[in-house]
Amino acid sequence: MDVYGLIGNPVGHSLSPPMHEAGYDALGIDARYVTFEPEDAGEAIDAAAALDLAGLNVTIPFKRAVLDHVEPDATAERVGAVNTVDFAGERPTGHNTDVAGVRRSFAHHDVDLEGATAVQIGAGGAGRAIAFALADAGATVHVANRTALKAHDLAADVPGADGHELDDVPKLLADADVLANATSVGMEEDASPVPADALHGDLVVFDAVYSPLETTLLGDADAVGARTIDGGWMLLFQGVAAFERWTGEDAPVDAMNAALRSRLE
Ligand code: ATR
């Protein structure tokens, strides 16, 4: 039996175990997926290697610290964070499937980002992955953040991007094709990072928040006729990309999605 894991703190309510195990079950793979709350990222990687774990996901607060204990690929290096460790080679390698998760979320909804103008709100950990994904897919990204300095810092790393303060968002949205929320605003609360009257029907609105699935932002977007991509998709497709890296198989996306959605509201 193969053992996969997740390190982070807290991880008690993580939906990754049921999502990945639904994938193993659908493909008849004899494997389990377990969660750990270690003290130290480096010790956890060493322990996972010593115990011959098949793969490890990494979440808050270890995504950055793990970089120093694995061989990061180019994407993980650019984003500055690892969420997936592969133990197949001589040394553990580090990957960032959040980036692929964003790209595949848009592709799954038939949204072509090539030449699109995107407004992204938020410049934290999730925001870095989302900005690189949008830019890699061919979008021009305007990053806005409550702390404007962080928006400028992130934009400086992302090809073609620029940084803004939140007050610029309504004006930027008037000419935009895509709005991405990479803040935590809307998580377990009835609040939106964007005034509802700044939204319009030609937007595709992507929210990284998945609890609840229908955030205030997505409700407002729906009301003006915009298309929406909820946070369950990024969560699903980052897991799908990790699953495919580890197993070498096409992930059973529908089974993994069903396992996830049955546990989200
Ligand atoms: P994550 O890893 O989930 O991205 P993070 O790195 O703490 O978490 O980033 C949280 C993001 O949400 C940041 O962009 C933060 O803005 P600041 O950089 O100004 O802190 C944003 N955020 C959190 N609460 C917010 C609020 N009430 N209004 C606007 N932005 C908020």
Side-chain angles (χ1 to χ4, degrees):
M1 184 180 75
D2 290 333
V3 177
Y4 296 89
L6 168 68
I7 59 168
N9 199 345
V11 290
H13 296 290
S14 170
L15 296 174
S16 290
M19 173 173 63
H20 281 272
E21 292 192 346
Y24 309 143
D25 289 348
L27 295 189
I29 296 172
D30 183 22
R32 285 289 165 267
Y33 186 107
V34 291
T35 60
F36 303 98
E37 292 183 354
E39 293 282 314
D40 180 85
E43 287 176 12
I45 299 296
D46 290 347
L51 293 171
D52 207 20
L53 261 60
L56 207 57
N57 278 138
V58 181
T59 188
I60 293 165
F62 300 126
K63 284 186 175 188
R64 189 168 277 275
V66 161
L67 264 181
D68 296 333
H69 303 280
V70 297
E71 204 78 64
D73 71 8
T75 302
E77 196 133 37
R78 276 198 312 161
V79 176
V82 167
N83 82 327
T84 301
V85 181
D86 193 344
F87 295 96
E90 191 104 320
R91 276 201 65 195
T93 55
H95 312 273
N96 190 310
T97 68
D98 288 332
V99 176
V102 174
R103 188 181 64 239
R104 289 181 68 166
S105 295
F106 280 91
H108 183 81
H109 288 81
D110 292 323
V111 178
D112 184 4
L113 291 164
E114 183 65 49
T117 299
V119 177
Q120 171 178 320
I121 306 178
R128 285 191 71 82
I130 293 168
F132 279 107
L134 295 171
D136 285 353
T140 300
V141 187
H142 303 295
V143 183
N145 195 49
R146 177 176 62 182
T147 311
L149 186 61
K150 280 170 63 180
H152 290 291
D153 284 350
L154 172 55
D157 291 343
V158 176
D162 59 7
H164 295 267
E165 51 190 66
L166 286 185
D167 285 350
D168 295 347
V169 168
K171 207 164 138 248
L172 291 167
L173 279 179
D175 298 316
D177 308 298
V178 171
L179 167 63
N181 176 35
T183 74
S184 50
V185 179
M187 198 187 296
E188 314 291 358
E189 61 173 356
D190 180 13
S192 170
V194 184
D197 60 9
L199 304 174
H200 57 78
D202 294 330
L203 284 171
V204 176
V205 181
F206 169 96
D207 204 332
V209 172
Y210 57 81
S211 182
L213 278 178
E214 173 149 351
T215 56
T216 305
L217 168 63
L218 295 189
D220 291 345
D222 200 41
V224 297
R227 295 172 61 194
T228 61
I229 302 175
D230 69 49
W233 296 105
M234 179 176 170
L235 183 61
L236 171 68
F237 282 113
Q238 62 76 31
V240 161
F243 185 103
E244 293 183 344
R245 168 169 292 284
W246 290 329
T247 65
E249 312 252 6
D250 285 344
V253 173
D254 291 344
M256 293 172 73
N257 193 32
L260 200 54
R261 297 232 162 218
S262 69
R263 290 166 175 86
L264 289 169
E265 281 171 23

